[in-house]
Amino acid sequence: MKFKQITHRLNTLEASVESLQERRFWLQCQRKYTFQPIYKIDGHLMAIELLTVVTHPEEPEIRIPPDRYFSSVSSRTRLMVIEEQLILLKDWESIFLGYGILASVNVDGPTLMAMKQHQPILALINQMPWVRFELVENITQPQAVTLAGMHEFGPLWLDDFGTGVANFSALSEMHYDYIKVARDLFIMLRTTDEGRNLFTMLLQLMNRYCKGVIVEGVETEDEWRDVQNSPAFAAQGYFLSRPIPFEQLENVLTRLT
């Protein structure tokens, strides 16, 4: 009996040490920011999406997936990151106002709800009407109902439609300003003539729920031409532009040549 108690205590201690080490790992992670332009189908610049690059000092050459990082850190850290991102964007305010473009920031549902109680973030948002928040795919339906009344954050975008729970059930819960179609769905549908027709009908239907559809992950000229010939409003992806350091924001193309 004593042996079992000792074993249980050792296992508990080991689990606590592992948890502490994991927490320390995520706290040691470092962040830097890039952006990717979003172009309307006529080639004019619509917006930029702020992207988070996460690394750890022990292996700085290896990028940690942002969704894994944000799901592993505390809600307090996620709020701190949002404030950090908004402060960065505020420094480039003249570019956004001068070009008449938007800046999108990714956020999950629980963090967006927590932002409602975070005065420094709300104060920044009030000063930055050109910022839009993209709800990432792990938002659930009850949260969508709650978020529908959150006017403090301006028009919301829905990210990665076609993955996870970002589907028509999410669209029926609230009105989004723009909806972004995931690359996986776009690629899957364009492999056959039937799929291409379905893609067109899908976007026509989605346009009833929002101001426009943005296609993600456009990587070739053929894909870009398909988007231009579709009911999409805009697109982003490596063919149009790879992620760019913020130091080059002033040099971003306002229109594709």
Side-chain angles (χ1 to χ4, degrees):
M1 186 70 177
K2 288 183 178 180
F3 178 76
K4 289 184 178 180
Q5 291 177 341
I6 292 173
T7 301
H8 176 72
R9 289 174 182 172
L10 287 174
N11 290 337
T12 301
L13 178 61
E14 183 178 349
S16 298
V17 171
E18 289 180 357
S19 177
L20 183 62
Q21 290 175 336
E22 182 178 3
R23 193 178 313 161
R24 183 181 296 115
F25 174 88
W26 293 115
L27 287 173
Q28 291 173 340
C29 283
Q30 299 173 339
R31 299 178 300 275
K32 68 176 183 179
Y33 300 108
T34 61
F35 71 91
Q36 188 173 39
I38 301 172
Y39 289 97
K40 300 176 187 178
I41 58 172
D42 65 3
H44 286 89
L45 182 64
M46 170 197 177
I48 63 104
E49 178 184 359
L50 185 148
L51 304 174
T52 306
V53 179
V54 183
T55 58
H56 192 274
E58 292 182 359
E59 296 180 302
E61 73 284 355
I62 298 178
R63 293 190 176 188
I64 299 170
D67 56 345
R68 183 184 172 199
Y69 170 74
F70 287 114
S71 65
S72 301
V73 298
S74 66
S75 58
R76 180 179 178 181
T77 299
R78 292 199 295 272
L79 287 172
M80 180 190 71
V81 172
I82 293 294
E83 186 174 355
E84 181 178 86
Q85 293 173 336
L86 291 176
I87 290 173
L88 169 65
L89 291 173
K90 188 72 168 63
D91 289 340
W92 296 93
E93 181 176 39
S94 61
I95 300 296
F96 295 107
L97 293 177
Y99 290 162
I101 60 175
L102 304 173
S104 70
V105 177
N106 291 285
V107 64
D108 60 82
T111 301
L112 191 67
M113 294 172 68
M115 285 162 50
K116 194 169 185 178
Q117 309 301 323
H118 197 284
Q119 290 304 316
I121 289 180
L122 292 178
L124 283 167
I125 292 172
N126 286 334
Q127 302 172 41
M128 304 164 68
W130 35 269
V131 166
R132 297 292 182 268
F133 290 99
E134 290 187 30
L135 289 173
V136 296
E137 64 163 315
N138 61 351
I139 179 175
T140 61
Q141 290 183 23
Q143 292 168 342
V145 173
T146 304
L147 290 168
M150 289 191 165
H151 305 295
E152 299 93 334
F153 309 115
L156 298 175
W157 295 7
L158 180 63
D159 191 26
D160 280 342
F161 180 90
T163 64
V165 296
N167 51 38
F168 277 106
S169 62
L171 301 189
S172 64
E173 296 294 339
M174 63 178 291
H175 179 81
Y176 292 96
D177 205 35
Y178 289 94
I179 299 171
K180 300 180 80 172
V181 171
R183 172 174 171 78
D184 287 349
L185 178 59
F186 170 50
I187 293 303
M188 179 186 71
L189 291 178
R190 70 186 301 272
T191 55
T192 64
D193 290 338
E194 183 180 6
R196 289 171 185 265
N197 291 333
L198 181 58
F199 178 71
T200 297
M201 291 187 290
L202 176 64
L203 265 59
Q204 289 173 338
L205 180 59
M206 291 173 66
N207 280 327
R208 300 179 184 177
Y209 292 91
C210 64
K211 289 173 62 176
V213 177
I214 301 170
V215 179
E216 298 180 292
V218 175
E219 296 185 356
T220 68
E221 184 175 358
D222 284 344
E223 291 172 8
W224 172 233
R225 298 307 174 205
D226 283 351
V227 171
Q228 289 183 302
N229 293 326
S230 78
F233 180 81
Q236 68 183 110
Y238 283 2
F239 175 73
L240 304 175
S241 174
R242 288 182 173 270
I244 304 171
F246 263 89
E247 292 74 16
Q248 299 180 27
L249 179 57
E250 199 164 4
N251 300 323
V252 68
L253 290 174
T254 58
R255 192 182 192 286
L256 296 174
T257 55

